[in-house]
Amino acid sequence: MSRGSLIARLTVAAAVFGLLLVGSFKGHDDAFPFGPFRMYATAFSNNGTVHSIRVDGIDDAGRPLTIDADLLGLRPAEFEGQLSRLESDPRLLDGLAQSYRNHQHSGSKLHELRLIEVSYQLRDGRRVGDPVERLLATGHAS
Amino acid sequence: MSGLVDWWTEPVARGRIAALRLLAYGYVLIDVFLTADWVTRHANGPTQFYRPLQVARLLSLPIPTHQFVLSVRALLVIVTVAALSGRWPRLLGAAVAVLYAQWMVIAMSYGKVDHDRFAFMVLLFVLPTVGSARLGDEAPSAEVGWAVRMVQVSVVATYFLAAVAKLRFGGLDWLTGSTLAWAIVRRGTLFSNWLLHAPWLLRALQWFIVTLELCSPAIFLVRRERTRVIVVAALVGFHLVTFAAIGIIFLPHLVAMTAFLPLERLSRGGYARSASTGDAEAELTNSVRVTNR
Protein backbone atom coordinates (compact mmCIF):
# COMPACT_ATOMS: atom_id res chain seq x y z
CA MET A 1 0.00 0.00 0.00
CA SER A 2 1.37 3.41 -0.95
CA ARG A 3 2.06 6.03 1.70
CA GLY A 4 -0.70 8.31 0.38
CA SER A 5 -3.20 5.48 0.38
CA LEU A 6 -2.25 4.56 3.94
CA ILE A 7 -2.61 8.14 5.17
CA ALA A 8 -6.01 8.46 3.45
CA ARG A 9 -7.24 5.27 5.13
CA LEU A 10 -6.03 6.26 8.58
CA THR A 11 -7.61 9.70 8.16
CA VAL A 12 -10.96 8.15 7.22
CA ALA A 13 -10.78 5.85 10.25
CA ALA A 14 -10.02 8.78 12.57
CA ALA A 15 -12.84 10.86 11.06
CA VAL A 16 -15.50 8.10 11.21
CA PHE A 17 -14.77 7.04 14.78
CA GLY A 18 -14.09 10.60 15.91
CA LEU A 19 -17.56 11.63 14.70
CA LEU A 20 -19.10 8.56 16.33
CA LEU A 21 -17.46 9.38 19.67
CA VAL A 22 -18.60 13.00 19.57
CA GLY A 23 -22.11 11.87 18.60
CA SER A 24 -22.20 9.30 21.40
CA PHE A 25 -21.23 11.75 24.11
CA LYS A 26 -22.79 14.99 22.81
CA GLY A 27 -25.13 14.21 19.91
CA HIS A 28 -28.74 13.08 19.57
CA ASP A 29 -30.73 10.81 17.25
CA ASP A 30 -30.74 13.58 14.65
CA ALA A 31 -27.02 12.93 14.04
CA PHE A 32 -27.68 9.44 12.55
CA PRO A 33 -25.56 7.49 11.65
CA PHE A 34 -23.16 9.14 14.12
CA GLY A 35 -25.66 9.65 16.94
CA PRO A 36 -25.67 7.86 20.30
CA PHE A 37 -26.79 4.20 20.32
CA ARG A 38 -29.67 4.96 22.64
CA MET A 39 -32.15 2.16 21.94
CA TYR A 40 -33.39 1.03 25.36
CA ALA A 41 -30.92 3.42 27.03
CA THR A 42 -33.57 5.20 29.11
CA ALA A 43 -33.89 4.17 32.75
CA PHE A 44 -37.39 3.37 34.00
CA SER A 45 -38.52 3.53 37.58
CA ASN A 46 -39.43 0.25 39.27
CA ASN A 47 -42.68 1.93 40.35
CA GLY A 48 -43.36 3.86 37.14
CA THR A 49 -45.89 3.58 34.35
CA VAL A 50 -45.17 1.89 31.03
CA HIS A 51 -46.85 3.53 28.04
CA SER A 52 -47.33 2.23 24.54
CA ILE A 53 -49.24 3.56 21.55
CA ARG A 54 -51.92 1.82 19.55
CA VAL A 55 -53.74 3.05 16.45
CA ASP A 56 -57.39 2.06 15.96
CA GLY A 57 -59.52 2.62 12.89
CA ILE A 58 -63.25 3.21 12.49
CA ASP A 59 -64.98 2.81 9.12
CA ASP A 60 -67.77 4.87 7.55
CA ALA A 61 -70.42 2.71 9.24
CA GLY A 62 -68.86 3.22 12.69
CA ARG A 63 -67.42 -0.30 12.87
CA PRO A 64 -63.85 -1.09 14.02
CA LEU A 65 -61.43 -1.39 11.10
CA THR A 66 -58.15 -3.30 11.28
CA ILE A 67 -55.38 -0.88 10.38
CA ASP A 68 -52.98 -1.98 7.66
CA ALA A 69 -49.55 -0.72 8.71
CA ASP A 70 -48.37 -0.51 5.09
CA LEU A 71 -51.12 1.95 4.18
CA LEU A 72 -50.53 4.00 7.29
CA GLY A 73 -46.95 4.82 6.30
CA LEU A 74 -45.62 4.99 9.87
CA ARG A 75 -44.38 2.50 12.44
CA PRO A 76 -45.90 2.62 15.95
CA ALA A 77 -42.58 3.86 17.34
CA GLU A 78 -42.68 6.69 14.83
CA PHE A 79 -46.01 7.83 16.28
CA GLU A 80 -44.34 7.91 19.66
CA GLY A 81 -41.44 9.91 18.25
CA GLN A 82 -43.84 12.55 16.90
CA LEU A 83 -46.43 12.42 19.67
CA SER A 84 -46.04 16.01 20.82
CA ARG A 85 -46.52 17.25 17.24
CA LEU A 86 -49.59 15.08 16.77
CA GLU A 87 -51.19 16.33 19.96
CA SER A 88 -50.48 19.99 19.24
CA ASP A 89 -51.56 19.88 15.59
CA PRO A 90 -54.64 17.64 15.09
CA ARG A 91 -54.64 18.39 11.35
CA LEU A 92 -51.61 16.10 11.02
CA LEU A 93 -53.71 13.11 12.03
CA ASP A 94 -56.50 14.23 9.66
CA GLY A 95 -53.90 14.25 6.86
CA LEU A 96 -52.77 10.76 7.81
CA ALA A 97 -56.35 9.44 7.90
CA GLN A 98 -57.09 11.01 4.50
CA SER A 99 -53.91 9.61 2.95
CA TYR A 100 -54.81 6.16 4.34
CA ARG A 101 -58.30 6.37 2.84
CA ASN A 102 -56.89 7.46 -0.51
CA HIS A 103 -54.58 4.42 -0.60
CA GLN A 104 -57.38 1.95 0.21
CA HIS A 105 -58.44 -0.02 -2.84
CA SER A 106 -60.87 -2.46 -1.28
CA GLY A 107 -62.94 -3.13 1.81
CA SER A 108 -64.75 -0.64 3.97
CA LYS A 109 -63.24 2.85 3.96
CA LEU A 110 -61.48 4.45 6.91
CA HIS A 111 -63.41 7.31 8.51
CA GLU A 112 -61.59 7.91 11.78
CA LEU A 113 -58.12 7.17 13.18
CA ARG A 114 -57.77 6.96 16.95
CA LEU A 115 -54.40 7.31 18.62
CA ILE A 116 -54.60 5.46 21.93
CA GLU A 117 -52.11 5.34 24.76
CA VAL A 118 -52.08 2.10 26.76
CA SER A 119 -50.54 2.34 30.24
CA TYR A 120 -49.45 -0.39 32.64
CA GLN A 121 -48.44 0.25 36.21
CA LEU A 122 -45.26 -1.26 37.66
CA ARG A 123 -44.75 -1.86 41.36
CA ASP A 124 -41.30 -2.97 42.43
CA GLY A 125 -40.60 -3.92 38.82
CA ARG A 126 -43.70 -6.15 38.50
CA ARG A 127 -46.74 -5.37 36.38
CA VAL A 128 -49.82 -4.79 38.51
CA GLY A 129 -53.47 -4.21 37.62
CA ASP A 130 -55.12 -3.95 34.23
CA PRO A 131 -53.91 -1.69 31.41
CA VAL A 132 -55.50 1.76 31.25
CA GLU A 133 -56.39 3.21 27.84
CA ARG A 134 -56.54 6.90 27.01
CA LEU A 135 -57.56 8.54 23.73
CA LEU A 136 -54.81 10.97 22.71
CA ALA A 137 -56.06 12.29 19.40
CA THR A 138 -58.37 11.52 16.51
CA GLY A 139 -58.08 12.20 12.79
CA HIS A 140 -60.90 12.16 10.23
CA ALA A 141 -61.12 11.36 6.55
CA SER A 142 -63.99 11.64 4.10
CA MET B 1 2.35 4.77 16.75
CA SER B 2 3.65 2.32 14.16
CA GLY B 3 2.11 -0.48 16.23
CA LEU B 4 -1.27 1.20 15.88
CA VAL B 5 -0.80 1.70 12.13
CA ASP B 6 0.18 -1.96 11.76
CA TRP B 7 -2.91 -2.98 13.74
CA TRP B 8 -5.22 -0.95 11.49
CA THR B 9 -3.76 -2.51 8.34
CA GLU B 10 -2.90 -6.02 9.54
CA PRO B 11 -3.12 -8.03 6.29
CA VAL B 12 -6.20 -10.20 5.77
CA ALA B 13 -6.86 -12.66 2.91
CA ARG B 14 -8.62 -11.13 -0.10
CA GLY B 15 -11.15 -13.96 -0.06
CA ARG B 16 -12.73 -12.45 3.05
CA ILE B 17 -13.84 -9.41 1.07
CA ALA B 18 -15.34 -11.60 -1.64
CA ALA B 19 -17.40 -13.45 0.97
CA LEU B 20 -18.38 -10.24 2.75
CA ARG B 21 -19.62 -8.85 -0.56
CA LEU B 22 -21.95 -11.83 -1.00
CA LEU B 23 -23.26 -11.54 2.54
CA ALA B 24 -23.62 -7.74 2.50
CA TYR B 25 -25.23 -7.38 -0.91
CA GLY B 26 -27.40 -10.44 -0.32
CA TYR B 27 -28.55 -8.90 2.94
CA VAL B 28 -29.37 -5.55 1.32
CA LEU B 29 -31.98 -7.37 -0.78
CA ILE B 30 -33.33 -9.29 2.23
CA ASP B 31 -33.50 -6.03 4.18
CA VAL B 32 -35.35 -4.08 1.50
CA PHE B 33 -37.99 -6.76 0.95
CA LEU B 34 -38.22 -8.49 4.33
CA THR B 35 -36.52 -7.27 7.47
CA ALA B 36 -36.99 -3.54 6.84
CA ASP B 37 -39.88 -3.63 4.40
CA TRP B 38 -41.46 -0.92 6.56
CA VAL B 39 -39.15 1.64 4.92
CA THR B 40 -41.27 1.33 1.77
CA ARG B 41 -44.29 2.30 3.90
CA HIS B 42 -42.91 5.81 4.08
CA ALA B 43 -43.89 6.12 0.42
CA ASN B 44 -47.54 6.03 1.55
CA GLY B 45 -47.62 8.43 4.48
CA PRO B 46 -48.09 12.18 4.04
CA THR B 47 -44.75 14.00 3.70
CA GLN B 48 -45.60 16.24 6.70
CA PHE B 49 -44.37 13.41 8.89
CA TYR B 50 -40.91 13.60 7.32
CA ARG B 51 -38.48 15.05 9.90
CA PRO B 52 -35.20 15.18 7.95
CA LEU B 53 -32.08 14.08 9.83
CA GLN B 54 -29.17 16.51 10.12
CA VAL B 55 -27.35 14.81 7.23
CA ALA B 56 -30.42 15.20 4.99
CA ARG B 57 -30.62 18.91 5.81
CA LEU B 58 -26.88 19.44 5.27
CA LEU B 59 -26.97 17.73 1.87
CA SER B 60 -30.42 19.13 0.94
CA LEU B 61 -31.64 15.60 0.17
CA PRO B 62 -35.02 15.50 -1.59
CA ILE B 63 -38.27 15.15 0.36
CA PRO B 64 -39.29 11.48 0.07
CA THR B 65 -42.44 11.66 -2.00
CA HIS B 66 -44.17 8.46 -3.11
CA GLN B 67 -42.28 8.46 -6.42
CA PHE B 68 -38.92 9.26 -4.83
CA VAL B 69 -39.11 6.43 -2.27
CA LEU B 70 -40.07 3.88 -4.92
CA SER B 71 -37.37 5.13 -7.32
CA VAL B 72 -34.62 4.89 -4.69
CA ARG B 73 -35.75 1.38 -3.87
CA ALA B 74 -35.80 0.30 -7.53
CA LEU B 75 -32.33 1.72 -8.16
CA LEU B 76 -30.93 0.18 -4.98
CA VAL B 77 -32.26 -3.26 -5.92
CA ILE B 78 -30.96 -3.09 -9.50
CA VAL B 79 -27.50 -1.90 -8.48
CA THR B 80 -27.27 -4.46 -5.66
CA VAL B 81 -28.17 -7.35 -7.96
CA ALA B 82 -25.52 -6.08 -10.40
CA ALA B 83 -22.97 -5.83 -7.56
CA LEU B 84 -23.71 -9.46 -6.58
CA SER B 85 -22.40 -10.50 -10.00
CA GLY B 86 -18.94 -9.42 -8.81
CA ARG B 87 -18.32 -7.10 -11.77
CA TRP B 88 -16.95 -3.54 -11.35
CA PRO B 89 -16.74 -4.00 -7.57
CA ARG B 90 -15.56 -0.45 -6.88
CA LEU B 91 -18.13 1.37 -9.01
CA LEU B 92 -21.14 -0.79 -8.18
CA GLY B 93 -20.09 -1.15 -4.54
CA ALA B 94 -19.92 2.62 -4.13
CA ALA B 95 -23.34 2.99 -5.77
CA VAL B 96 -24.87 0.41 -3.38
CA ALA B 97 -23.35 2.21 -0.38
CA VAL B 98 -24.65 5.64 -1.41
CA LEU B 99 -28.13 4.38 -2.34
CA TYR B 100 -28.44 2.33 0.86
CA ALA B 101 -27.41 5.40 2.87
CA GLN B 102 -30.16 7.43 1.16
CA TRP B 103 -32.57 4.55 1.89
CA MET B 104 -31.58 4.71 5.57
CA VAL B 105 -32.13 8.48 5.66
CA ILE B 106 -35.68 7.81 4.42
CA ALA B 107 -36.00 5.07 7.05
CA MET B 108 -34.84 7.11 10.04
CA SER B 109 -36.42 10.50 9.25
CA TYR B 110 -39.87 9.82 10.70
CA GLY B 111 -39.32 10.13 14.42
CA LYS B 112 -37.60 6.83 15.21
CA VAL B 113 -33.92 6.01 14.71
CA ASP B 114 -32.62 2.42 14.86
CA HIS B 115 -29.12 1.61 16.03
CA ASP B 116 -28.40 -1.74 14.45
CA ARG B 117 -27.06 -0.36 11.18
CA PHE B 118 -23.86 1.56 11.87
CA ALA B 119 -21.43 -1.33 11.32
CA PHE B 120 -23.39 -2.57 8.30
CA MET B 121 -23.23 0.86 6.68
CA VAL B 122 -19.49 1.04 7.34
CA LEU B 123 -19.20 -2.40 5.72
CA LEU B 124 -21.00 -1.18 2.58
CA PHE B 125 -18.76 1.89 2.36
CA VAL B 126 -15.46 0.03 2.81
CA LEU B 127 -16.22 -2.83 0.39
CA PRO B 128 -15.58 -0.68 -2.73
CA THR B 129 -12.15 0.38 -1.38
CA VAL B 130 -10.93 -3.09 -2.42
CA GLY B 131 -10.76 -4.16 -6.07
CA SER B 132 -11.74 -7.57 -7.42
CA ALA B 133 -11.56 -10.41 -4.95
CA ARG B 134 -12.26 -14.12 -5.40
CA LEU B 135 -13.82 -16.44 -2.86
CA GLY B 136 -11.19 -18.60 -1.23
CA ASP B 137 -8.30 -16.32 -2.21
CA GLU B 138 -5.90 -16.62 0.72
CA ALA B 139 -3.44 -13.98 -0.51
CA PRO B 140 -3.12 -11.43 2.33
CA SER B 141 -3.55 -7.73 1.63
CA ALA B 142 -3.21 -4.62 3.79
CA GLU B 143 -6.09 -2.85 2.03
CA VAL B 144 -8.39 -5.76 2.90
CA GLY B 145 -6.99 -5.63 6.42
CA TRP B 146 -7.96 -1.98 6.79
CA ALA B 147 -11.49 -2.58 5.43
CA VAL B 148 -12.05 -5.56 7.74
CA ARG B 149 -10.69 -3.64 10.73
CA MET B 150 -13.04 -0.72 10.04
CA VAL B 151 -16.00 -3.09 10.21
CA GLN B 152 -14.73 -4.94 13.29
CA VAL B 153 -14.15 -1.68 15.19
CA SER B 154 -17.64 -0.51 14.16
CA VAL B 155 -19.20 -3.69 15.53
CA VAL B 156 -17.37 -3.38 18.84
CA ALA B 157 -18.10 0.37 19.01
CA THR B 158 -21.81 -0.40 18.65
CA TYR B 159 -21.71 -2.50 21.84
CA PHE B 160 -19.36 -0.30 23.81
CA LEU B 161 -21.09 2.96 22.92
CA ALA B 162 -24.50 1.40 23.59
CA ALA B 163 -23.33 1.01 27.19
CA VAL B 164 -22.07 4.61 27.13
CA ALA B 165 -25.52 5.74 25.92
CA LYS B 166 -27.22 3.81 28.73
CA LEU B 167 -25.04 5.51 31.32
CA ARG B 168 -25.41 8.90 29.60
CA PHE B 169 -29.22 8.85 29.27
CA GLY B 170 -30.26 6.42 31.98
CA GLY B 171 -27.41 6.90 34.43
CA LEU B 172 -26.73 4.32 37.10
CA ASP B 173 -30.51 4.00 37.47
CA TRP B 174 -30.41 2.02 34.25
CA LEU B 175 -28.77 -0.84 36.12
CA THR B 176 -31.25 -0.91 38.99
CA GLY B 177 -34.39 0.33 37.21
CA SER B 178 -37.00 -1.45 35.10
CA THR B 179 -35.92 -0.92 31.51
CA LEU B 180 -36.12 -4.62 30.64
CA ALA B 181 -39.50 -4.93 32.38
CA TRP B 182 -40.64 -1.92 30.33
CA ALA B 183 -39.41 -3.59 27.13
CA ILE B 184 -41.16 -6.88 27.96
CA VAL B 185 -44.43 -5.17 28.93
CA ARG B 186 -44.43 -3.52 25.50
CA ARG B 187 -42.99 -6.28 23.33
CA GLY B 188 -42.91 -9.40 25.46
CA THR B 189 -43.28 -12.90 24.00
CA LEU B 190 -44.18 -16.38 25.15
CA PHE B 191 -40.53 -16.80 26.16
CA SER B 192 -40.16 -13.64 28.21
CA ASN B 193 -43.47 -12.68 29.83
CA TRP B 194 -42.76 -14.91 32.85
CA LEU B 195 -39.72 -12.73 33.57
CA LEU B 196 -42.08 -9.95 34.67
CA HIS B 197 -42.64 -12.01 37.82
CA ALA B 198 -38.90 -12.09 38.54
CA PRO B 199 -37.78 -8.44 38.64
CA TRP B 200 -34.51 -9.36 40.41
CA LEU B 201 -33.56 -11.53 37.43
CA LEU B 202 -34.28 -8.68 35.00
CA ARG B 203 -32.07 -6.37 37.07
CA ALA B 204 -29.29 -8.97 37.05
CA LEU B 205 -29.66 -9.15 33.26
CA GLN B 206 -29.29 -5.36 33.05
CA TRP B 207 -25.96 -5.59 34.88
CA PHE B 208 -24.93 -8.45 32.62
CA ILE B 209 -25.77 -6.50 29.44
CA VAL B 210 -23.81 -3.39 30.40
CA THR B 211 -20.84 -5.50 31.54
CA LEU B 212 -20.88 -7.45 28.28
CA GLU B 213 -21.03 -4.25 26.23
CA LEU B 214 -18.22 -2.57 28.17
CA CYS B 215 -16.02 -5.68 27.84
CA SER B 216 -16.65 -6.09 24.09
CA PRO B 217 -13.31 -4.51 23.03
CA ALA B 218 -11.61 -7.52 24.63
CA ILE B 219 -12.38 -9.47 21.44
CA PHE B 220 -9.34 -7.71 19.94
CA LEU B 221 -7.12 -9.37 22.52
CA VAL B 222 -8.16 -12.82 21.28
CA ARG B 223 -5.34 -14.17 19.12
CA ARG B 224 -6.62 -17.70 18.52
CA GLU B 225 -9.00 -17.89 15.61
CA ARG B 226 -11.00 -20.71 17.17
CA THR B 227 -11.62 -18.66 20.31
CA ARG B 228 -12.69 -15.67 18.20
CA VAL B 229 -15.23 -17.83 16.37
CA ILE B 230 -16.60 -19.00 19.74
CA VAL B 231 -16.89 -15.39 20.96
CA VAL B 232 -18.79 -14.42 17.81
CA ALA B 233 -21.08 -17.44 18.23
CA ALA B 234 -21.75 -16.39 21.84
CA LEU B 235 -22.67 -12.88 20.69
CA VAL B 236 -25.01 -14.31 18.06
CA GLY B 237 -26.57 -16.35 20.88
CA PHE B 238 -27.07 -13.17 22.90
CA HIS B 239 -28.94 -11.57 19.97
CA LEU B 240 -31.07 -14.70 19.46
CA VAL B 241 -32.10 -14.65 23.13
CA THR B 242 -32.99 -10.95 22.79
CA PHE B 243 -35.07 -11.83 19.74
CA ALA B 244 -36.91 -14.55 21.63
CA ALA B 245 -37.58 -12.13 24.49
CA ILE B 246 -38.68 -8.93 22.75
CA GLY B 247 -38.76 -9.71 19.03
CA ILE B 248 -35.90 -7.39 18.14
CA ILE B 249 -32.88 -8.68 16.25
CA PHE B 250 -29.93 -6.65 15.02
CA LEU B 251 -29.60 -8.48 11.70
CA PRO B 252 -27.52 -5.92 9.77
CA HIS B 253 -25.19 -5.74 12.76
CA LEU B 254 -24.86 -9.55 12.74
CA VAL B 255 -23.98 -9.50 9.04
CA ALA B 256 -21.21 -6.98 9.78
CA MET B 257 -20.02 -9.15 12.67
CA THR B 258 -19.09 -11.94 10.22
CA ALA B 259 -16.05 -9.77 9.42
CA PHE B 260 -14.49 -11.44 12.49
CA LEU B 261 -14.80 -14.90 10.92
CA PRO B 262 -12.27 -16.59 8.60
CA LEU B 263 -14.60 -16.20 5.64
CA GLU B 264 -11.66 -16.60 3.23
CA ARG B 265 -12.01 -20.36 3.79
CA LEU B 266 -15.33 -20.29 1.97
CA SER B 267 -15.61 -22.34 -1.20
CA ARG B 268 -12.77 -22.33 -3.63
CA GLY B 269 -15.18 -23.69 -6.23
CA GLY B 270 -15.72 -20.23 -7.64
CA TYR B 271 -18.28 -17.51 -7.50
CA ALA B 272 -21.09 -19.17 -9.39
CA ARG B 273 -21.45 -22.12 -7.05
CA SER B 274 -21.91 -19.94 -3.99
CA ALA B 275 -23.72 -17.03 -5.51
CA SER B 276 -26.31 -16.84 -2.79
CA THR B 277 -26.04 -15.93 0.87
CA GLY B 278 -27.79 -19.15 1.79
CA ASP B 279 -25.02 -21.23 0.23
CA ALA B 280 -22.41 -18.95 1.67
CA GLU B 281 -23.78 -19.37 5.16
CA ALA B 282 -24.08 -23.12 4.82
CA GLU B 283 -20.50 -23.36 3.65
CA LEU B 284 -19.37 -21.05 6.39
CA THR B 285 -20.78 -23.40 8.98
CA ASN B 286 -18.96 -26.30 7.36
CA SER B 287 -15.66 -24.55 7.01
CA VAL B 288 -15.76 -23.31 10.58
CA ARG B 289 -16.40 -26.83 11.79
CA VAL B 290 -13.88 -28.58 9.61
CA THR B 291 -10.92 -26.28 9.39
CA ASN B 292 -9.04 -24.68 12.15
CA ARG B 293 -5.54 -23.34 11.88
Side-chain angles (χ1 to χ4, degrees), chain A residues 1-16:
Chain A
M1 191 188 295
S2 73
R3 191 171 165 76
S5 161
L6 176 66
I7 290 173
R9 282 176 163 81
L10 294 176
T11 309
V12 167
V16 167

Side-chain angles (χ1 to χ4, degrees), chain B residues 221-231 292-293:
Chain B
L221 300 177
V222 177
R223 301 311 300 176
R224 279 185 68 204
E225 191 176 275
R226 189 190 176 85
T227 315
R228 197 155 50 227
V229 171
I230 292 171
V231 172
N292 170 44
R293 240 201 316 222

Side-chain angles (χ1 to χ4, degrees), chain A residues 9 24 27 30 36-42 44 46 50-51 69-70 73 75 78 80 82 85 99 103 126, chain B residues 41-42 44 48-49 51 54 57 110-111 114-115 129 146 165 168 174 176-179 182 186 197 248:
Chain A
R9 282 176 163 81
S24 287
D30 191 41
F37 297 119
R38 62 170 303 177
M39 276 173 97
Y40 295 97
T42 313
F44 289 90
N46 291 319
V50 180
H51 303 288
D70 284 332
R75 291 182 287 168
E78 289 168 338
E80 294 179 34
Q82 304 209 29
R85 283 185 80 207
S99 142
H103 283 107
R126 293 169 206 266
Chain B
R41 262 184 230 166
H42 290 154
N44 289 336
Q48 291 98 303
F49 285 91
R51 311 296 288 162
Q54 193 172 26
R57 300 194 302 273
Y110 287 78
D114 297 341
H115 301 126
T129 65
W146 174 82
R168 176 182 161 195
W174 197 90
T176 54
S178 286
T179 300
W182 174 83
R186 287 161 53 103
H197 301 292
I248 288 178

Side-chain angles (χ1 to χ4, degrees), chain A residues 1 5-6 8-10 12-14 16-17 20-47 49-53 69-82 85-86 91-93 95-97 99-100 103 120 122-127, chain B residues 5 8-9 37-38 41-46 48-55 57 66 104-105 107-118 121-122 129-130 142-143 146 150 153-154 157-158 161-162 164-166 168-170 173-174 176-179 181-183 185-187 196-199 202-203 246 248 250:
Chain A
M1 191 188 295
S5 161
L6 176 66
R9 282 176 163 81
L10 294 176
V12 167
V16 167
F17 296 109
L20 186 64
L21 273 178
V22 172
S24 287
F25 284 95
K26 297 271 170 211
H28 293 277
D29 269 350
D30 191 41
F32 177 89
F34 297 110
F37 297 119
R38 62 170 303 177
M39 276 173 97
Y40 295 97
T42 313
F44 289 90
S45 159
N46 291 319
N47 296 302
T49 314
V50 180
H51 303 288
S52 67
I53 297 292
D70 284 332
L71 296 186
L72 203 54
L74 290 176
R75 291 182 287 168
E78 289 168 338
F79 279 106
E80 294 179 34
Q82 304 209 29
R85 283 185 80 207
L86 281 166
R91 281 169 312 171
L92 271 176
L93 210 52
L96 193 66
S99 142
Y100 187 101
H103 283 107
Y120 302 83
L122 293 184
R123 192 158 300 147
D124 195 26
R126 293 169 206 266
R127 188 167 71 188
Chain B
V5 172
W8 269 102
T9 51
D37 60 342
W38 49 266
R41 262 184 230 166
H42 290 154
N44 289 336
Q48 291 98 303
F49 285 91
Y50 176 59
R51 311 296 288 162
L53 296 167
Q54 193 172 26
V55 59
R57 300 194 302 273
H66 187 74
M104 282 299 107
V105 168
M108 308 302 166
S109 287
Y110 287 78
K112 165 76 169 39
V113 172
D114 297 341
H115 301 126
D116 55 346
R117 280 152 206 278
F118 180 77
M121 288 174 74
V122 168
T129 65
V130 180
E143 60 175 7
W146 174 82
M150 285 291 288
V153 173
S154 302
T158 302
L161 294 174
V164 168
K166 290 179 180 80
R168 176 182 161 195
F169 294 102
D173 289 348
W174 197 90
T176 54
S178 286
T179 300
W182 174 83
V185 166
R186 287 161 53 103
R187 311 186 48 105
L196 289 172
H197 301 292
L202 289 173
R203 266 169 241 151
I246 54 173
I248 288 178
F250 277 33

